[in-house]
């Protein structure tokens, strides 16, 4: 209408601005907040129809936390996240990401798919610069595993987190929190916890992992009984690795979810008005493997200071680093020798070089 009749649109805009100004004078920020909050609460389902992958937890002050257990390469997990956020209209969404992996939220699926498949020298240098030699190499080996799964399934990792980010932006007054421990801390603590031979064994397993994986295999990871069996096998092989990569992060994720679930303070019209609070509703999006640990730690008093410290390099780490450097330099030296040897052979095979050698022998 504005495009068809500019004059009428200007008149309408003047009238509209007068009406808007009169409305803005009549309604305070606190009242506007209350109106929008009431609209949100009406949209929130009292008895939400939630997927089977959702675990409901309560806090002492009445807040509710809905933990969505996901498989990181699963289309159905993305649907579970979307449905849960739409049903409960949360105040906070917490995802199993840290600031070092937040870039995956803003990248499109095609770019992520390409990035996940490409493991190059630049990424290795960046990982080592960010996390140190040992942790950087371990990160690259895990990225290799992720690239293998990505190649097998044709799907980029972290789709459920991107869906959570999109849906959270559609909910009024919904905050988005990163709930995972920083990845450099996790890698450094994991490396420090392993013995020399465990490091060698783990690196060997990751380097030569090439078993085929299907979408059905990924969906099985959402079955708690099968997941517990897989976890038990991992504990048997690398108990210290399980403690640092899984159990400690269970504690950290639980702590962050409880922090997000604190009651929400309602805005006040004046300082004289008493403070009022309402229970919060939180949606947590985490890998299914963390759900049992979050349930276990939910009613405990948690202190994350200890699991945030980075221990100094152990003797086994120093030995492993020395062996690794010796191997790299040895391979480089052998490569230089082979290149030099072949270069000399090539030069000597040339007719001009043979003629020169013949004349030297004659002298």
């Amino acid at each position: 209408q504005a495009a068809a009749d500019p004059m009428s649109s200007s008149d309408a805009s003047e009238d509209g601005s007068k009406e808007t100004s009169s409305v803005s004078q009549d309604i305070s920020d606190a009242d506007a907040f209350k109106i929008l909050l009431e609209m949100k609460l009406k949209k929130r389902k009292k008895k939400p129809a939630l997927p089977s992958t959702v675990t409901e937890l309560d806090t002492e002050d009445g807040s509710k936390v809905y933990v969505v257990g996901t498989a990181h390469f699963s289309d159905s997990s993305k649907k579970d996240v979307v449905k849960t956020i739409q049903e409960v209209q949360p105040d906070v969404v917490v995802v199993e990401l840290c600031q070092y992996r937040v870039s995956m939220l803003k990248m499109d699926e095609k770019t992520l798919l390409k990035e996940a498949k490409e493991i190059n020298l630049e990424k290795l240098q960046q990982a080592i610069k960010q996390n140190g030699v040992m942790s950087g190499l371990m990160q690259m080996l895990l990225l290799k595993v992720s690239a293998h799964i990505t190649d097998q399934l044709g799907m980029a990792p972290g789709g459920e987190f991107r869906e959570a980010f999109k849906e959270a932006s559609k909910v009024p007054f919904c905050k988005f929190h990163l709930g995972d421990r920083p990845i450099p801390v996790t890698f450094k603590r994991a490396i420090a916890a392993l013995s020399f031979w465990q490091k060698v064994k783990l690196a060997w397993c990751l380097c030569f992992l090439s078993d085929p994986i299907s979408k059905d295999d990924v969906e099985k990871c959402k079955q708690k009984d099968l997941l517990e069996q897989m976890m038990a096998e991992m504990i048997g092989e690398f108990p210290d690795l399980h403690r640092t990569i899984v159990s400690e992060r269970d504690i950290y994720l639980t702590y962050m979810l409880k922090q997000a679930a604190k009651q929400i303070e309602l805005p006040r019209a004046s300082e004289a008005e008493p403070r009022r609070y309402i229970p919060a509703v939180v949606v947590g999006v985490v890998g299914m493997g963390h759900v049992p640990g979050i349930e276990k730690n939910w009613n405990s008093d948690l202190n994350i200071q200890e699991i945030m410290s980075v221990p100094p390099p152990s003797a086994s780490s120093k030995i492993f680093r020395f062996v690794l450097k010796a191997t790299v330099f040895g391979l480089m030296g052998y490569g230089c020798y082979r290149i030099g040897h072949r270069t000399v052979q090539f030069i000597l095979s040339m007719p001009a070089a043979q003629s020169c050698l013949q004349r030297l022998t004659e002298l």
Side-chain angles (χ1 to χ4, degrees), residues 3 24 34 80 104 156-157 229 242 255 308 330 356:
S24 62
K34 288 176 184 177
D80 290 349
M104 71 164 56
Q229 180 184 343
H242 180 273
Y255 178 84
M308 287 299 291
C356 248

Side-chain angles (χ1 to χ4, degrees), residues 194-215:
L194 295 175
S195 67
F196 172 75
W197 291 114
Q198 282 179 322
K199 290 184 179 77
V200 173
K201 185 177 181 181
L202 179 63
W204 181 268
C205 292
L206 293 175
C207 279
F208 294 97
L209 179 71
S210 57
D211 294 337
I213 187 169
S214 66
K215 291 187 177 182

Side-chain angles (χ1 to χ4, degrees), residues 344-360:
V344 170
Q345 283 185 327
F346 173 74
I347 292 172
L348 292 177
S349 66
M350 295 175 67
Q354 289 180 354
S355 175
C356 248
L357 283 173
Q358 188 176 359
R359 288 182 182 180
L360 286 171

Side-chain angles (χ1 to χ4, degrees), residues 250-305:
D250 290 345
I251 295 171
Y252 192 92
L253 287 164
T254 307
Y255 178 84
M256 295 302 288
L257 285 168
K258 291 177 82 170
Q259 291 296 309
K262 289 182 176 179
Q263 286 189 320
I264 299 170
E265 182 182 353
L266 295 175
R268 296 178 294 166
S270 66
E271 291 293 329
E273 187 179 338
R275 296 178 183 275
R276 292 192 302 124
Y277 298 85
I278 59 171
V281 173
V282 178
V283 170
V285 182
V286 303
M288 184 62 80
H290 291 292
V291 176
I294 292 171
E295 288 185 272
K296 177 185 174 183
N297 293 302
W298 188 250
N299 295 316
S300 304
D301 291 328
L302 303 175
N303 183 3
I304 62 170
Q305 294 303 317

Side-chain angles (χ1 to χ4, degrees), residues 64-125:
K64 287 191 174 293
V65 178
Y66 299 93
V67 183
V68 188
T70 68
H72 294 313
F73 290 85
S74 168
D75 281 326
S76 64
S77 284
K78 292 192 280 188
K79 294 174 184 176
D80 290 349
V81 169
V82 171
K83 183 174 178 60
T84 303
I85 292 175
Q86 289 177 350
E87 287 283 316
V88 306
Q89 293 291 294
D91 303 300
V92 185
V93 171
V94 181
V95 296
E96 185 197 331
L97 285 177
C98 67
Q99 65 267 33
Y100 293 92
R101 293 179 290 159
V102 74
S103 59
M104 71 164 56
L105 295 175
K106 299 178 181 179
M107 295 170 73
D108 61 272
E109 193 80 10
K110 186 178 179 181
T111 305
L112 272 167
L113 195 59
K114 183 182 177 182
E115 284 285 320
K117 288 182 179 180
E118 290 181 355
I119 307 295
N120 50 38
L121 183 61
E122 184 181 350
K123 285 187 177 180
L124 176 60
Q125 290 174 337

